[in-house]
Amino acid sequence: MNEVTPIESPEGRPARVRKPDWIRVRAPTSKGFNETRKLMRDLNLNTVCEEAACPNIGECWTKKHATVMILGDVCTRACAFCNVKTGMPRMVDTKEPQHVADAAAQMGLEHIVITSVDRDDLADGGASQFVKVIEALRRTTPKTTIEILTPDFRNKHEAAVEAIVTARPDVYNHNLETVPRLYPTIRPGARYYASLRLLEMVKRLDPSIFTKSGIMLGLGEERLEVHQVMDDMRSADVDFLTMGQYLQPTPRHTKVIDFVTPKAFDAYAAIARAKGFLQVASSPLTRSSYHAGEDFAQMRAAREAKLARQAAR
């Protein structure tokens, strides 16, 4: 672990945190980046890449990979780590599902990641919009594999998850975000064990769907707490674990407690693999959808190899 080093600033202005060399990225300037941004604007689509200030946006958009954020750009929750706006969302865009499918077709995507803001104002939490997006993608780009990253659908997750699972995405992702002890301050609108039950329910309804979850490091979690989260995920039969460094988006968000070294991320990854995850992505810049297509292909191959070994016994 590396302790956070504040940078002195003029009186009255919040101090900036000095990031270690391994967490710094270049500002995006490529032609591919600008083309991706234009396409998102033309189709009136939001992306979590922009709204959450993802450090990998330059690399991903240059390769014409983007994580589409449906159901608007205003969230009904105010998590301490998240840069998405909080407030009263607008009406659901009925054209959004087809616009997402059109974007996938124009970008030639082999794999697409769809996420959303929390929509506690909607009777189904927004689950029906996920279903419509999946259906539009199946019609328009049937060869594109689909990964969804959903909220927890607080107090309505059973009906929401059942509807989405019936639409059969290839990967169902729901992030635990942090260790249980930190939920009251980091993720106050959510409940750790409710999120675990959601992931468990996906597998119970359709074991063929890959499940995925992730946590941020650097929020003050202890090593053994991270190990326990891994065990909890495996108990819910989660296939894919992602771990990345938390970065403070603005001075009003929760502070970085420490910068976890690449070596420490590698050590966590080795432990996770030993615990039986099919796929593990663990590095300072890892995010839920970073290299998602490549990781999906590797995870699918790992499952096929595992099934072949079992059949040979």
Side-chain angles (χ1 to χ4, degrees), residues 176-279:
L176 295 182
E177 306 292 8
T178 189
V179 301
R181 176 176 57 85
L182 297 178
Y183 261 57
T185 53
I186 302 303
R187 202 178 174 218
R191 299 293 179 268
Y192 178 82
Y193 290 103
S195 286
L196 270 178
R197 286 196 297 272
L198 183 155
L199 290 161
E200 192 174 46
M201 183 179 177
V202 175
K203 277 295 189 186
R204 187 171 69 250
L205 291 171
D206 190 341
S208 70
I209 295 176
F210 291 99
T211 51
K212 179 176 177 180
S213 189
I215 59 171
M216 301 170 289
L217 302 183
L219 289 164
E221 68 287 331
E222 299 293 336
R223 180 171 56 86
L224 292 180
E225 289 179 308
V226 176
H227 293 175
Q228 184 60 56
V229 170
M230 293 180 190
D231 288 337
D232 291 342
M233 286 186 187
R234 289 302 302 133
S235 294
D237 203 17
V238 171
D239 297 301
F240 188 172
L241 167 64
T242 62
M243 292 178 281
Q245 171 70 50
Y246 166 69
L247 297 175
Q248 185 181 18
T250 73
R252 65 183 174 82
H253 289 85
T254 195
K255 294 181 179 179
V256 176
I257 302 302
D258 49 38
F259 286 107
V260 180
T261 65
K263 184 176 180 180
F265 272 103
D266 289 343
Y268 277 130
I271 291 168
R273 291 188 184 98
K275 289 180 181 293
F277 289 96
L278 282 178
Q279 183 75 3

Side-chain angles (χ1 to χ4, degrees), residues 20-312:
D21 291 339
W22 64 76
I23 207 73
R24 296 174 187 172
V25 293
R26 293 181 179 180
T29 58
S30 73
K31 178 183 177 183
F33 173 87
N34 291 324
E35 289 175 347
T36 300
R37 180 169 59 183
K38 183 178 185 302
L39 178 61
M40 295 300 113
R41 296 295 80 78
D42 289 346
L43 292 172
N44 195 32
L45 294 174
N46 300 298
T47 69
V48 75
C49 320
E50 296 170 287
E51 302 301 331
C54 179
N56 303 315
I57 188 170
E59 177 186 346
C60 293
W61 281 28
T62 294
K63 297 177 180 178
K64 298 193 175 181
H65 296 167
T67 299
V68 178
M69 188 171 74
I70 62 173
L71 294 165
D73 62 351
V74 179
C75 188
T76 54
R77 308 229 189 134
C79 295
F81 62 88
C82 184
N83 197 42
V84 176
K85 297 189 291 289
T86 301
M88 180 54 67
R90 300 174 185 173
M91 291 181 61
V92 175
D93 181 0
T94 57
K95 296 180 180 179
E96 186 175 59
Q98 191 57 50
H99 284 171
V100 173
D102 291 343
Q106 290 184 46
M107 295 169 76
L109 296 183
E110 294 180 0
H111 186 83
I112 188 169
V113 183
I114 309 297
T115 188
S116 80
V117 291
D118 280 285
R119 291 297 301 261
D120 297 316
D121 59 309
L122 299 175
D124 67 350
S128 59
Q129 190 77 339
F130 273 99
V131 171
K132 290 172 184 175
V133 169
I134 293 169
E135 290 173 346
L137 285 163
R138 295 297 188 208
R139 288 193 307 269
T140 308
T141 57
K143 293 184 179 180
T144 301
T145 50
I146 302 170
E147 178 173 330
I148 60 165
L149 169 56
T150 76
D152 61 5
F153 302 114
R154 185 171 59 195
N155 300 326
K156 56 196 80 164
H157 82 265
E158 290 189 5
V161 170
E162 186 171 358
I164 294 172
V165 167
T166 300
R168 299 207 76 251
D170 296 282
V171 183
Y172 194 123
N173 185 359
H174 174 65
N175 286 329
L176 295 182
E177 306 292 8
T178 189
V179 301
R181 176 176 57 85
L182 297 178
Y183 261 57
T185 53
I186 302 303
R187 202 178 174 218
R191 299 293 179 268
Y192 178 82
Y193 290 103
S195 286
L196 270 178
R197 286 196 297 272
L198 183 155
L199 290 161
E200 192 174 46
M201 183 179 177
V202 175
K203 277 295 189 186
R204 187 171 69 250
L205 291 171
D206 190 341
S208 70
I209 295 176
F210 291 99
T211 51
K212 179 176 177 180
S213 189
I215 59 171
M216 301 170 289
L217 302 183
L219 289 164
E221 68 287 331
E222 299 293 336
R223 180 171 56 86
L224 292 180
E225 289 179 308
V226 176
H227 293 175
Q228 184 60 56
V229 170
M230 293 180 190
D231 288 337
D232 291 342
M233 286 186 187
R234 289 302 302 133
S235 294
D237 203 17
V238 171
D239 297 301
F240 188 172
L241 167 64
T242 62
M243 292 178 281
Q245 171 70 50
Y246 166 69
L247 297 175
Q248 185 181 18
T250 73
R252 65 183 174 82
H253 289 85
T254 195
K255 294 181 179 179
V256 176
I257 302 302
D258 49 38
F259 286 107
V260 180
T261 65
K263 184 176 180 180
F265 272 103
D266 289 343
Y268 277 130
I271 291 168
R273 291 188 184 98
K275 289 180 181 293
F277 289 96
L278 282 178
Q279 183 75 3
V280 178
S282 176
S283 75
L285 289 175
T286 291
R287 296 296 183 267
S288 293
S289 54
Y290 188 44
H291 295 164
E294 296 94 321
D295 286 337
F296 172 72
Q298 293 175 15
M299 180 168 58
R300 184 162 54 183
R303 174 187 279 178
E304 290 171 356
K306 180 179 179 180
L307 291 174
R309 289 195 299 271
Q310 291 173 346

